Amino acid sequence: MAALVECRSLLMVCGVPALTFRRYKFKKKWAATVPKIPPTKLALQYFDMNYNTHFDDVWPSIRIGLLSEQKYGALINNFSVSEKVMEKLELLGAQDFVFGTPEKIEHAKPGMGADFKTGGDCGTREQLVMEGCAGDTISPQKVTFSSDLLNNVPSLKCYTFARGDISRFPPSRYSMFWLNRPDVTGLLTYYLMDAASLLPVLALGVRPDDAVLDLCAAPGGKTLALLQTQTCRYVAANDVSASRIGRLQRVLHSYIPESFCSTDIVRVTSWDGRICGDVESRRYDKVLVDVPCTTDRHSLKEEDNNIFHKLRTKERQMLPLLQVELLVSGIRAARPGGSVVYSTCSLSQLQNECVVERAAEVMSSNHDIQVQVEDLSPLRELYQDTFRFHRTCRVGELILPHLTANFGPMYFCKLRRMN
Ligand SMILES: C[S@@+](CC[C@H](N)C(=O)[O-])C[C@H]1O[C@@H](n2cnc3c(N)ncnc32)[C@H](O)[C@@H]1O
C-alpha cells in the first residue's frame, strides 16, 4: 500500500494525472449491496457463542447435525387412498414412527405430573381406535391414558427411516410420478415434513368435539396434521402473513377434500395473532402457538429470508417479546381448563423456556389467570428411539438434531389454563 501511494505521488510530481484504481471505483457499490458477513455465517457465529455454553459437550454433535442434511417424515394423508403408498414406503424401509410397536407404548412410563398408566398388553392401533382414542380409558388391561397427551397416536401415521438410516424419500418431482402422485380423488397421498413437527400436535392431544386454534399456522404442516386426526369439531387456522396463508390454502387444497374444507369445520384467517386473546377470549379447547423464531436450521442454510440478515437485527432481537405476546394471546383464547402447546424450531432458551415462564408471569399478574405446565414425559418415553431429546429442559421438551436422527430442533411445552 505504501508503495502504491509513493508511486501515485511520483506520477503527480511528474505531471501525470492521478490514476483512479478500479477497485476504488466499485468499492461503494460492493459495500451497499453485499453484506460483509453472510447471514448464515452470522447465524453460526451467534449459535457457537450462545449454544456452546448452554449445551456444553453436546453442542458439537448438535452443530454437525444442524449443518448436515435433515431427515424427513412422510405424514400419510388419511383423506386419500393411501394403503398402496404405505406398502411402497415400507418397501423403501420406512416405518410409521407415531404408533411404532406396542412394546414402545408399554414402556412409556408415567411422568411426575401426568396420570398415565400402563398395563400388560397395550393393544394394536385398531384396538386403540375402536376403543375410542378419546384418551379417557382405552382398556383397564391395556393402556390407560388419563391425560389427553396421547389421544392422537392412533389416528396419525408418519413414516420415517430408522435411527442411523440416512435414506431419503424420493425427491418430489420423482415422487409426483410415482409415490406421491394424486390418487383417484385428486389428493396427494403424503406430506413431507420434519417428523419432529408432529410432536407439538401429538402433545396437544385433540379430543372429539374440540374447537382448536392454530394461531401461527402457515405454511400449514401442523394444521394439516390436526385435520388428519379427523377428530376436531372446528379448526381455526390463522397467520398474519397473507402470502403464507396462500401457501396454507394450497396445502389444504392438495390434501383435504373440498367437501371437508367447505364445511364449518375449517376457518382460515389472516389476523395478527396478538389480538386473538381479546377477540376470541375463552373460545377454544386447544390452542397451538407455533411462533416465529430464529428457525435455527434454516438460518444456517439459506441466505434468503434469513432472520440473521443485518437489516433484520431489530426484528430478531424483538422475537422473544413477540413470542410472549403471542403465547399470552393464545392462553387467553383458550377456555378455562383448556390446553395450549407452545412450540419453536429453535434451540434458544431465551425463545423457549424463558418465554413460557414469562408468559405464565404475565398471565398471573396482568390477567389473574393461572397456568400449569403439563408433564410430557410419556411422549418422550414413547419416542426416545426416534428422536434425541435434550436431558435438561426447565419446562417442556426439546428435540436435538443429531446425525443419526437428524430431526428438529423442536421445542414444545404444554400448558393448562386453570381458571
Ligand atoms: C414457525 S412458522 C409456523 C409454521 C406452521 N405452524 C407450520 O407448522 O407449518 C411461524 C408463523 O408465524 C407467523 N407470524 C408471525 N407473526 C405473527 C403474528 N403476529 N400473528 C400471527 N402469526 C404470525 C409467520 O407468518 C409464520 O408463518
Side-chain angles (χ1 to χ4, degrees):
M1 190 64 195
L4 269 178
V5 173
E6 220 173 68
C7 169
R8 257 183 120 190
S9 332
L10 196 70
L11 288 170
M12 280 168 80
V13 169
C14 301
V16 179
L19 294 175
T20 311
F21 295 103
R22 250 183 112 80
R23 68 191 179 100
Y24 292 144
K25 253 190 0 228
F26 292 105
K27 191 169 180 193
K28 204 169 171 201
K29 198 170 171 197
W30 289 343
T33 53
V34 182
K36 282 206 182 94
I37 309 177
T40 49
K41 263 221 171 109
L42 264 183
L44 189 58
Q45 281 174 7
Y46 180 89
F47 295 158
D48 275 335
M49 228 161 53
N50 291 282
Y51 296 159
N52 194 18
T53 13
H54 179 56
F55 293 102
D56 203 12
D57 54 347
V58 188
W59 172 236
S61 75
I62 303 174
R63 187 183 198 267
I64 200 165
L66 278 174
L67 291 168
S68 310
E69 196 166 337
Q70 88 178 99
K71 254 177 120 161
Y72 283 92
L75 176 68
I76 297 298
N77 185 7
N78 290 331
F79 293 98
S80 72
V81 184
S82 50
E83 284 78 17
K84 277 222 167 78
V85 168
M86 290 195 278
E87 269 172 36
K88 283 179 178 167
L89 289 171
E90 277 163 28
L91 278 178
L92 288 177
Q95 288 293 325
D96 169 28
F97 87 86
V98 184
F99 190 73
T101 60
E103 294 76 38
K104 273 195 190 171
I105 294 195
E106 200 178 345
H107 284 116
K109 297 277 180 337
M112 289 293 288
D115 188 0
F116 177 87
K117 309 178 195 93
T118 55
D121 172 18
C122 61
T124 62
R125 178 196 293 277
E126 288 66 30
Q127 277 172 311
L128 288 169
V129 175
M130 275 172 9
E131 289 171 26
C133 57
D136 301 310
T137 303
I138 287 163
S139 159
Q141 269 73 49
K142 296 177 182 141
V143 185
T144 309
F145 305 123
S146 296
S147 82
D148 51 12
L149 194 54
L150 300 171
N151 282 346
N152 308 123
V153 167
S155 51
L156 293 172
K157 300 176 208 81
C158 184
Y159 280 73
T160 55
F161 293 102
R163 216 182 171 113
D165 181 344
I166 57 165
S167 309
R168 281 179 284 177
F169 292 102
S172 56
R173 199 151 60 90
Y174 172 55
S175 61
M176 280 299 285
F177 291 106
W178 180 55
L179 268 181
N180 199 18
R181 66 177 175 217
D183 68 357
V184 284
T185 61
L187 298 172
L188 293 177
T189 45
Y190 63 81
Y191 180 81
L192 282 185
M193 65 195 297
D194 183 336
S197 295
L198 215 53
L199 294 197
V201 176
L202 288 165
L204 202 57
V206 289
R207 290 171 186 261
D209 287 337
D210 271 352
V212 185
L213 168 64
D214 190 350
L215 195 67
C216 307
K222 296 185 190 70
T223 311
L224 182 65
L226 281 167
L227 292 170
Q228 291 302 321
T229 64
Q230 299 185 32
T231 302
C232 316
R233 168 170 54 90
Y234 177 66
V235 176
N238 174 71
D239 199 285
V240 74
S241 156
S243 62
R244 286 172 70 91
I245 278 289
R247 283 173 65 190
L248 178 134
Q249 299 271 29
R250 285 194 288 283
V251 168
L252 295 185
H253 180 76
S254 307
Y255 289 88
I256 309 288
E258 203 64 49
S259 53
F260 193 89
C261 280
S262 56
T263 60
D264 290 338
I265 299 173
V266 189
R267 185 198 75 184
V268 179
T269 53
S270 188
W271 301 338
D272 185 328
R274 288 173 288 188
I275 66 163
C276 291
D278 272 328
V279 298
E280 304 217 283
S281 168
R282 298 168 161 246
R283 177 145 187 220
Y284 295 95
D285 302 288
K286 304 274 159 66
V287 181
L288 182 60
V289 185
D290 186 35
V291 292
C293 65
T294 44
T295 50
D296 294 359
R297 197 183 276 277
H298 172 90
S299 295
L300 290 176
K301 287 264 164 69
E302 305 283 335
E303 302 299 350
D304 284 349
N305 196 25
N306 192 315
I307 190 84
F308 283 86
H309 194 288
K310 273 254 151 53
L311 296 175
R312 297 183 71 187
T313 306
K314 187 120 203 163
E315 183 189 345
R316 178 163 52 81
Q317 287 166 346
M318 298 301 281
L319 272 176
L321 183 63
L322 173 63
Q323 291 161 343
V324 170
E325 289 174 339
L326 285 167
L327 180 52
V328 164
S329 176
I331 299 169
R332 294 183 63 213
R335 64 164 172 77
S339 313
V340 177
V341 168
Y342 172 79
S343 58
T344 76
C345 49
S346 169
L347 295 160
S348 156
Q349 218 177 11
L350 216 60
Q351 296 174 61
N352 297 339
E353 291 109 302
C354 296
V355 168
V356 172
E357 288 160 350
R358 179 71 193 131
E361 276 170 24
V362 172
M363 289 310 297
S364 175
S365 58
N366 298 5
H367 302 283
D368 207 12
I369 294 171
Q370 309 309 317
V371 291
Q372 213 167 62
V373 174
E374 297 235 315
D375 178 30
L376 297 176
S377 58
L379 207 72
R380 180 193 176 113
E381 289 286 333
L382 195 54
Y383 297 124
Q384 64 187 358
D385 291 345
T386 309
F387 302 103
R388 187 192 196 207
F389 286 84
H390 185 38
R391 266 169 293 157
T392 50
C393 276
R394 285 203 302 267
V395 285
E397 297 285 345
L398 174 63
I399 290 172
L400 302 175
H402 189 265
L403 277 184
T404 59
N406 208 357
F407 302 107
M410 180 59 55
Y411 172 80
F412 54 107
C413 182
K414 185 170 185 177
L415 301 166
R416 190 169 292 275
R417 176 176 170 164
M418 305 307 289
N419 57 318

